[in-house]
Amino acid sequence: MAEEKTEKRMLSVTANPHVRDSITTQKIMLYVIIALLPATFFGIWNFGVYSLVIVIATVASAVLSEYLYEKLLHLPITISDCSAAVTGLLLALNMPPTAPIWMCILGSAFAIIVVKMLFGGLGQNFMNPALGARCFLLISFAGRMTNFATDTYTGPTPLAMIKNGETINTFTMVLGRESGTIGETSVIAIVIGACFLILMGVIDLKIPGSYIVSFALFYILFGGHGANPYYLTAHLAGGGLMLGAFFMATDYVTSPITTKGKIIFGVILGILTGVFRIFASGAEGVSYAIIIGNLLVPLIERYAPLKCFGYRKPEKEVKA
Amino acid sequence: MKEGSAAERLYNGLIKENPTLVIVLGMCPTLAVTTSAMNGIGMGLSTTVVLALSNLFISLLRNIIPDKIRIPAFIVIIATFVTMVDMLMEGFTPALYTQLGIYIPLIVVNCIILGRAEAYAYSNGPASSFFDGVGMGLGFTCAITLIGFIRELIGSGAVFGMPLGNLSDFTPTIFVMAPGAFFVLATIIAVRAKIIDNIEKKKGERLPVKHTDEDGIDCATCSARATCSGHMGTEQQ
């Protein structure tokens, strides 16, 4: 100890962050990719080989668009941080299993170039690129994006069936043997991936938890079926709720930082999803709910700002 | 080019101070009616007529109009011409008139027209004011026709209303909806700015930029000039 004191040390003064850690963007993105694999493989097994083609095409074109954009504009190439691959994979999981390849490429290019790179690249995008692209495709090609009829499944998605008053099997919904987009059907596969991310410390339960709980409460209050477990399970397991709550609402760039902000964000998403599913004409509303929530994040962060290190609440004046 | 001459005014409206792409005025019709190139031309030309005539008359009447009530006076003059254009279009081009709908009467509140009346016609002679109106109007027409052309091509796979094969099966419809207007407008503004930037760089002449701080205080007269290093960079250029 005495030696250390006498030793002359050069202290460098830099701006924050000062924490040195082995966690890098690349590592986090790789964890997310690993966590998405169960849902991806389940989707491929569920819908057939063509889904694999969609996944490969979407991921490859997302990475390629980022590379080409940065090459053309003489920017540092950032494809090695894997964020483009994550965006591509999330978009692929949001595609119907019948999507034509050109549509996947168009969606990936839109996600990366318009939603992400034009706003300054990773960390600057104001909404989740994969969801931005999904909504872009949904508005542009409504018919193709909602065509879920494959060889195995010919009917509409379970949520659409409930909306039409038909009966569904909630057990197969939880398993995922049903029609829908490639990655959204199996609750089990998604939850396995989500548990991995939570264990690795990449995401926490604040946003998904408040999102799912507030959606369930909203559904019980306004869904018209009360706390009927049949409808409640169907709505929680159906559509993109689980995939959206665990993998897209938790996107670091487009969600609030503080605990208070995260919970407000989750509740807003839950209410919006409920409003879209119950009162809107379509059966699903998770993607619109999340991108609208993304737009509200700056406002939420003004209400729930990060406290400065060492900040103390000013003590109340005690009356003598 | 001589300041205020017809050619200078036309160049100013079409290129240098293009109302849509540089001054970014008249956004309401720019975003709302440019779903096809034909709509753009119709809207642009009717605005040009109103703009040229209202500029001419405001310039002729500029010495009579009292300063305090000039805005109401401008509006009355503009509204007169808009009503005439509105009735003429209803009579002679009923199809286009139904297409453009409410946006024809709304030319009255188009910022370009009021803006040129206030910024140019009220303080300049009738001839140059008239050509200022024509130049600005044509600049507006060209810009919104271009936006309409691109949106129509990408969004509904057609050129001036003529479908290109079965291209419309593969075109993203979002481009003929509201978001598409923003995408296309933003891209055109960016590309134009880039091109002008490159031309200026090649010529080696830049517009002199007045260097000011965040509060808009001119650096040359700033009291802290001696100790501030902010102005050094600009002076060395």
Side-chain angles (χ1 to χ4, degrees), chain A residues 102 106 110 114 135-136 139-142 144, chain B residues 169-175 177 179 183 187:
Chain A
W102 58 266
L106 186 66
F110 184 87
V114 177
C135 293
F136 166 77
I139 293 169
S140 295
F141 309 102
R144 286 195 183 89
Chain B
D169 290 352
F170 304 100
T171 49
T173 336
I174 199 168
F175 275 88
M177 298 180 200
F183 293 152
T187 313

Side-chain angles (χ1 to χ4, degrees), chain A residues 13 37-38 70 81 93 105 113 118 134 190-191 206 211 230 243 277 314:
Chain A
V13 181
L37 286 181
E70 286 169 340
D81 69 13
L93 298 186
I105 297 171
I113 294 172
L118 284 185
R134 177 181 147 83
I190 292 167
V191 169
K206 283 165 203 150
Y211 183 5
Y230 168 74
L243 187 66
R277 279 196 182 175

Side-chain angles (χ1 to χ4, degrees), chain B residues 37-192:
Chain B
M38 262 332 275
N39 277 2
I41 292 185
M43 185 72 210
L45 289 182
S46 42
T47 310
T48 307
V49 172
V50 176
L51 192 51
L53 291 177
S54 67
N55 257 14
L56 175 67
F57 274 80
I58 287 165
S59 175
L60 285 173
L61 296 171
R62 71 185 190 279
N63 296 323
I64 308 170
I65 300 172
D67 209 34
K68 275 186 183 164
I69 55 151
R70 64 183 194 286
I71 302 289
F74 294 166
I75 294 285
V76 170
I77 294 170
I78 296 165
T80 310
F81 289 114
V82 172
T83 314
M84 284 159 64
V85 166
D86 185 71
M87 288 173 169
L88 285 171
M89 282 184 80
E90 195 177 5
F92 291 100
T93 55
L96 187 64
Y97 182 80
T98 1
Q99 265 295 314
L100 296 176
I102 185 69
Y103 292 100
I104 294 294
L106 278 181
I107 296 176
V108 178
V109 286
N110 190 321
C111 318
I112 302 173
I113 301 179
L114 201 56
R116 290 327 285 176
E118 174 79 6
Y120 198 86
Y122 195 56
S123 49
N124 284 285
S128 49
S129 295
F130 176 77
F131 282 107
D132 180 76
V134 175
M136 283 286 162
L138 290 180
F140 178 65
T141 310
C142 289
I144 65 172
T145 307
L146 181 64
I147 297 172
F149 178 80
I150 296 173
R151 286 180 68 188
E152 189 182 358
L153 182 65
I154 303 180
S156 44
V159 174
F160 286 96
M162 279 179 292
L164 298 175
N166 59 351
L167 189 66
S168 60
D169 290 352
F170 304 100
T171 49
T173 336
I174 199 168
F175 275 88
V176 287
M177 298 180 200
F182 288 96
F183 293 152
V184 175
L185 176 68
T187 313
I188 294 178
I189 290 180
V191 169
R192 184 210 163 271

Side-chain angles (χ1 to χ4, degrees), chain A residues 33-144:
Chain A
I33 291 178
I34 294 169
L36 283 170
L37 286 181
T40 313
F41 285 129
F42 184 87
I44 294 165
W45 174 72
N46 196 20
F47 294 113
V49 187
Y50 185 65
S51 310
L52 180 65
V53 180
I54 292 180
V55 171
I56 292 172
T58 315
V59 175
S61 50
V63 176
L64 195 68
S65 347
E66 181 155 322
Y67 176 78
L68 288 179
Y69 180 90
E70 286 169 340
K71 194 85 187 164
L72 281 175
L73 270 77
H74 309 291
L75 296 168
I77 308 288
T78 56
I79 50 169
S80 60
D81 69 13
C82 294
S83 63
V86 168
T87 299
L89 189 55
L90 277 175
L91 180 63
L93 298 186
N94 272 299
M95 294 292 243
T98 55
I101 298 302
W102 58 266
M103 210 167 84
C104 305
I105 297 171
L106 186 66
S108 289
F110 184 87
I112 297 296
I113 294 172
V114 177
V115 187
K116 188 173 147 194
M117 299 314 291
L118 284 185
F119 286 88
L122 182 66
Q124 313 286 326
N125 46 304
F126 68 108
M127 65 164 70
N128 188 313
L131 280 180
R134 177 181 147 83
C135 293
F136 166 77
L137 293 175
L138 207 54
I139 293 169
S140 295
F141 309 102
R144 286 195 183 89

Side-chain angles (χ1 to χ4, degrees), chain B residues 212-217:
Chain B
T212 55
D213 70 356
E214 292 90 343
D215 304 325
I217 298 167

